Amino acid sequence: WTAVSNNTAGVPVPRCGHSAAVQGDGMYIYSGWDHTETHKDFHMFSVCLNAWFQMPLRGIIPVGRHHHSAVAHAQSMYMFGGVNADG
């Protein structure tokens, strides 16, 4: 193991219940919950660059959620289920 040195601009806040999917050299995470707030953000960890980046959202953007599942396919990430801020 080695420590990941990050550019602080793209590092997601600590959270649980997010989804993660790997596509190419990136691991993408969406949403999640920090025990106070349900997040609606999208981040990518580049394995090659060893750094996090906040990613733009495109297409039909789901509400923030946690404890959902996701899969990456053909340049898209699809989410299913989970709990939003309303329960």
Side-chain angles (χ1 to χ4, degrees), residues 10-23:
V11 178
V13 298
R15 64 190 68 201
C16 65
H18 58 279
S19 59
V22 174
Q23 178 89 5

Side-chain angles (χ1 to χ4, degrees), residues 4-78:
V4 175
S5 95
N6 290 305
N7 56 336
T8 57
V11 178
V13 298
R15 64 190 68 201
C16 65
H18 58 279
S19 59
V22 174
Q23 178 89 5
D25 72 343
M27 178 184 69
Y28 297 85
I29 68 165
Y30 179 72
S31 207
W33 182 53
D34 67 7
H35 297 278
T36 303
E37 178 183 354
T38 300
H39 295 279
K40 182 182 176 180
D41 54 0
F42 188 42
H43 296 267
M44 186 265 287
F45 179 76
S46 171
V47 176
C48 292
L49 299 175
N50 205 29
W52 285 100
F53 300 92
Q54 186 158 9
M55 305 298 290
L57 294 167
R58 299 184 317 215
I60 300 170
I61 301 168
V63 298
R65 62 189 62 225
H66 53 91
H67 296 93
H68 56 288
S69 58
V71 63
H73 175 71
Q75 306 299 317
S76 295
M77 186 169 170
Y78 300 92

